[in-house]
Amino acid sequence: MLWIKTLHVFFVIGWFAGLFYLPRIFVNLAQVRAPGAERDRLLLMAAKLYRFSNMLSAAALLFGVWLWLGYDIGHGQGWIHAKLALVLALLAFQHVCGRMLAGFRSDSNRHTHIWFRWFNEIPTVLLFAIVVLVVVKPF
């Protein structure tokens, strides 16, 4: 089971790298208004990162479910249910990022770079909460 846990942590780290950086690319995209090479390059980077992050999230979820089933945790342990709710929030965040990327592609983004700077903090807050739940197991 330690190998499964190792793989889960590895893929979670990679997934979060994408969740941290993709909104940062959105900040830059929101600042570039005119079509051109810079915008095209940022869109390509965002699309590739989004696709790669999706693969990493799938692997993280696969190994996470494997751990959950292997350790038989979750019965009477509230922390795991809270963690799973936060993981669902992360998946929703990732989905919203995909919608925002589609908005940039169709040139229909309505948010400012400042809005994206705040949006960029959501995965940080969720990661902190998840780590506290996993390590401290407060309930």
Side-chain angles (χ1 to χ4, degrees):
M1 266 313 187
L2 290 178
W3 280 105
I4 304 308
K5 188 183 288 188
T6 300
L7 290 169
H8 175 65
V9 170
F10 176 79
F11 286 113
V12 166
I13 290 169
W15 180 24
F16 267 96
L19 291 176
F20 289 151
Y21 193 57
L22 185 58
R24 187 67 204 155
I25 295 174
F26 292 163
V27 169
N28 295 320
L29 274 166
Q31 291 176 317
V32 176
R33 290 290 179 195
E38 182 180 12
R39 185 176 186 282
D40 292 345
R41 185 178 66 250
L42 288 168
L43 282 172
L44 180 64
M45 288 171 55
K48 286 183 176 186
L49 181 60
Y50 182 68
R51 195 168 41 253
F52 189 61
S53 292
N54 282 339
M55 291 187 293
L56 294 169
S57 69
L61 292 171
L62 172 78
F63 289 111
V65 168
W66 194 342
L67 280 173
W68 187 31
L69 296 173
Y71 280 120
D72 193 33
I73 55 178
H75 305 290
Q77 298 183 31
W79 69 269
I80 191 70
H81 300 291
K83 177 195 173 199
L84 292 174
L86 293 177
V87 169
L88 288 175
L90 281 171
L91 290 169
F93 178 85
Q94 184 171 349
H95 177 73
V96 168
C97 284
R99 305 264 311 196
M100 290 179 176
L101 177 57
F104 277 113
R105 283 180 170 156
S106 66
D107 204 24
S108 62
N109 170 53
R110 305 234 184 263
H111 299 293
T112 67
H113 68 95
I114 296 169
W115 188 91
F116 282 108
R117 289 177 197 276
W118 285 101
F119 179 75
N120 190 38
E121 300 306 321
I122 293 171
T124 305
V125 172
L126 291 173
L127 177 62
F128 180 78
I130 289 170
V131 169
V132 167
L133 287 169
V134 170
V135 173
V136 177
K137 296 180 178 65
F139 47 89

